[in-house]
Amino acid sequence: MSAIVLDSDLGRYTISRYIYGHFAEHLGRCVYEGIWVGENSTIHNKRGVRQDVVQALRQIKIPVLRWPGGCFADEYHWRDGIGPHTSRPTMVNTHWGGVTENNHFGTHEFMDLCDQLQCEPYICGNVGSGTVREMQQWVEYLTFDGKSPMADLRRANGRDDPWSLKFWGVGNENWGCGGRMRPEFYADQFRRYATYVRDFGDSGLHRIACGPNADNYHWTETVMAEAGTIRDRRYGTPPMAGLALHYYTRLGPPGRRGSATEFGEDEWFAILKNALHMETLIDRHSTIMDRYDPDKLVDLIVDEWGTWYEVEPGTNPGFLYQQNTLRDALVAGLTLNIFNRHCDRVRMANIAQTVNVLQAMVLTDGDKMVKTPSYHVFDMYKVHQDAMLVPLNLTCGTYEFGREAIPTLDASASRDQDGRVHITLCNVDPQNTAEITCDVRGMTISAAEAQVLTAGKISAHNTFEDPDAVVPSNLPGLIVAEGQIALSVPPKSVVLISIS
Ligand code: AHR
């Protein structure tokens, strides 16, 4: 028997809705085909943006979208992506398949997409191959209301009003594809860029620094020491608002990443265990950040995370197209629970990537679109957005495989503004049901219901032919008595309990 005890009337930290953010790069079929089809497409679109995808993402309340990369960001020159489509220069997308990028999806199209999605934009600027001036001018183009060369250029391109823009990335993976920099060098670059990338409007730009790759604690230590603590604004330099950690759940290096759909229990276990490693990373990076920033003014932002397998057979290896199974749903559930539990420091996260790339929310094929199991987890978990994290104590057994073991269950809980309490639970054991009691303190339970996402096989997934193989359904059998809820959590499942 497993047990949860939660104090529904307590809590100190709000779960930022931005933890439920997304990431879309000019990579494979994410932006082109997956989002942008052009105005002349036969696929239903609004100003070139496909509407089935917009509707699906609005349903899960997408709060923020990061763009244009990824590695692409540090080779992207924004001025190639404005003005009439016919006069935009092309470029080679060297990172992702060597394909020719026509730059038809640029600044105006991205900001329009965010409007259509009703989400906030998060733009990643080019540090690796760009200049301070180029980045400064991009922000001026986007946000300056007065008369200036960049604001006038924006008006000439059809947009009078500046856009509202809060989140700004100062480079991407500058320890790797973004310039192979050392942390000492990057910290100075961040200080320099942050100084000149001004606040042209009243958005109060959040300048987000490139953070560590997984367990590179030296990076966090150095960047926090050298650039994370500037608070005096003597030279007009605004403070660092966030540090961006990247961590992907994978089995090994390229060639040994395994298949997204063809796997046994060994790879099920290994992926879920690796997903849980996120908690260690957050704990350790937060400990370093706490030393330099005890008041937690700098956000830890996990702006790339998700599963990464070998591409689907027969697809372009540079396009990172993979299917998405019940296993990915469990990775999403575990990871989002971890982010919720660490919402005192983790204030944004962006799963990679929204459409057709890595752990996608939706997959498209021509005019067809299918929602993945990961999508359904984001749909179930959206109740946590901007809700109060409530203290939860979980006691459970372990799921053992070979000589290793991980906890069978994982959970987080929050209280929304109407006083409803939501618990999200993952049972990673593929064979055994978990019998659990939830002792809900601090409220009188008048109603409780639960939803479950599961399937017959660990590799179950949705296809264009069978789009509803893995979808949430009502979980029957909840017993409510004397302030307690008892329920059976099916094997290999994600469960949402709603209590009012
Ligand atoms: O998401 C795919 C790639 O993974 C991104 O472009 C890069 O930042 C990371 O290495």
Side-chain angles (χ1 to χ4, degrees):
M1 186 61 122
S2 305
I4 282 178
V5 178
L6 67 86
D7 290 292
S8 71
D9 54 344
L10 300 183
R12 203 167 146 204
Y13 298 104
T14 299
I15 298 171
S16 168
R17 65 178 177 280
Y18 301 123
I19 282 177
Y20 292 83
H22 297 263
F23 166 41
E25 180 168 10
H26 289 234
L27 192 179
R29 297 188 302 112
C30 183
V31 167
Y32 296 104
E33 284 188 46
I35 290 171
W36 174 260
V37 290
E39 288 177 351
N40 299 327
S41 173
T42 51
I43 298 171
H44 178 48
N45 72 86
K46 189 168 171 187
R47 295 186 292 278
V49 174
R50 61 186 297 166
Q51 291 301 292
D52 50 356
V53 171
V54 167
Q55 290 318 318
L57 295 175
R58 280 181 61 165
Q59 160 72 22
I60 56 173
K61 287 178 60 185
I62 175 175
V64 60
L65 183 62
R66 177 174 182 252
W67 173 86
C71 295
F72 181 79
D74 280 285
E75 280 197 299
Y76 181 63
H77 299 284
W78 69 273
R79 290 188 75 151
D80 295 346
I82 54 171
H85 284 166
T86 47
S87 54
R88 295 186 189 181
T90 61
M91 67 177 280
V92 183
N93 191 336
T94 49
H95 280 292
W96 306 120
V99 294
T100 303
E101 157 74 51
N102 65 16
N103 274 310
H104 282 194
F105 190 86
T107 301
H108 290 250
E109 292 78 11
F110 173 65
M111 297 307 275
D112 184 34
L113 167 67
C114 291
D115 273 353
Q116 294 189 35
L117 292 170
Q118 296 179 352
C119 78
E120 298 219 27
Y122 170 16
I123 294 182
C124 184
N126 180 345
V127 170
S129 70
T131 63
V132 174
R133 183 172 193 220
E134 182 183 5
M135 195 187 287
Q136 185 195 48
Q137 289 185 330
W138 198 3
V139 175
E140 180 187 327
Y141 184 92
L142 282 153
T143 60
F144 190 57
D145 198 13
K147 190 164 170 48
S148 82
M150 291 304 113
D152 288 348
L153 183 59
R154 183 189 71 232
R155 291 185 191 102
N157 286 329
R159 170 84 188 192
D160 285 339
D161 293 334
W163 285 283
S164 154
L165 174 70
K166 191 153 82 185
F167 301 115
W168 189 267
V170 182
N172 168 76
E173 296 194 354
N174 301 95
W175 36 261
C177 65
R180 301 208 53 190
M181 299 173 191
R182 292 169 306 116
E184 295 80 5
F185 181 78
Y186 175 77
D188 281 347
Q189 291 299 311
F190 179 82
R191 292 162 68 128
R192 180 165 164 251
Y193 274 80
T195 302
Y196 294 107
V197 177
R198 312 260 183 219
D199 277 317
F200 289 93
D202 52 14
S203 313
L205 212 58
H206 279 44
R207 291 156 188 82
I208 297 163
C210 164
N213 180 22
D215 56 3
N216 185 348
Y217 301 111
H218 175 59
W219 184 277
T220 299
E221 182 82 47
T222 310
V223 173
M224 284 304 292
E226 304 298 337
T229 54
I230 305 170
R231 298 251 160 249
D232 61 23
R233 310 217 48 166
R234 228 175 313 166
Y235 304 101
T237 309
M240 180 191 291
L243 185 72
L245 161 70
H246 286 186
Y247 174 64
Y248 284 97
T249 301
R250 30 194 184 205
L251 291 171
R256 294 217 300 271
R257 293 210 165 129
S259 158
T261 53
E262 305 286 319
F263 57 88
E265 193 177 341
D266 52 343
E267 292 187 8
W268 162 273
F269 179 88
I271 281 288
L272 298 182
K273 180 168 173 278
N274 291 350
L276 289 170
H277 185 55
M278 180 70 89
E279 189 138 38
T280 306
L281 295 174
I282 291 174
D283 275 335
R284 294 185 178 169
H285 287 293
S286 300
T287 302
I288 298 169
M289 293 176 80
D290 285 349
R291 267 212 310 279
Y292 296 97
D293 174 36
D295 296 330
K296 300 186 192 293
L297 299 173
V298 182
D299 301 346
L300 181 58
I301 288 177
V302 191
D303 66 13
E304 288 189 30
W305 68 273
T307 51
W308 191 322
Y309 309 111
E310 300 297 336
V311 298
E312 291 304 315
T315 65
N316 186 330
F319 281 15
L320 308 186
Y321 176 74
Q322 64 190 38
Q323 248 294 359
N324 191 300
T325 67
L326 182 61
R327 177 175 62 169
D328 298 279
L330 265 298
V331 171
L334 295 173
T335 308
L336 293 169
N337 278 343
I338 293 169
F339 293 156
N340 287 348
R341 292 196 291 267
H342 293 271
C343 66
D344 60 326
R345 182 64 89 173
V346 178
R347 303 204 185 93
M348 192 201 287
N350 309 76
I351 190 169
Q353 299 193 9
T354 321
V355 194
N356 292 333
V357 169
L358 299 176
Q359 192 174 349
M361 296 295 104
V362 295
L363 304 175
T364 67
D365 180 12
D367 64 354
K368 296 188 286 252
M369 186 201 78
V370 66
K371 296 171 178 168
T372 64
S374 298
Y375 173 96
H376 293 299
V377 172
F378 272 74
D379 200 19
M380 292 162 77
Y381 276 55
K382 68 187 178 193
V383 291
H384 290 306
Q385 291 192 22
D386 290 335
M388 177 66 66
L389 179 75
V390 298
L392 174 152
N393 193 288
L394 168 67
T395 313
C396 67
T398 53
Y399 160 42
E400 283 156 35
F401 188 81
R403 291 210 200 136
E404 297 186 287
I406 55 177
T408 307
L409 296 175
D410 184 271
S412 69
S414 68
R415 181 180 71 249
D416 70 15
Q417 273 154 12
D418 299 321
R420 273 187 305 262
V421 170
H422 297 103
I423 308 172
T424 43
L425 264 171
C426 300
N427 180 359
V428 296
D429 189 323
Q431 271 99 32
N432 299 300
T433 299
E435 303 299 340
I436 186 160
T437 56
C438 306
D439 188 351
V440 184
R441 300 180 179 167
M443 72 187 286
T444 307
I445 304 173
S446 52
E449 54 181 22
Q451 267 190 317
V452 62
L453 184 74
T454 189
K457 285 169 61 182
I458 53 177
S459 59
H461 54 280
N462 297 330
T463 62
F464 299 106
E465 297 71 37
D466 187 5
D468 296 329
V470 190
V471 291
S473 59
N474 180 45
L475 178 65
L478 264 66
I479 300 168
V480 183
E482 293 168 16
Q484 279 207 340
I485 300 170
L487 74 156
S488 307
V489 181
K492 50 176 161 32
S493 72
V494 180
V495 165
L496 164 67
I497 308 169
S498 306
I499 311 163
S500 51

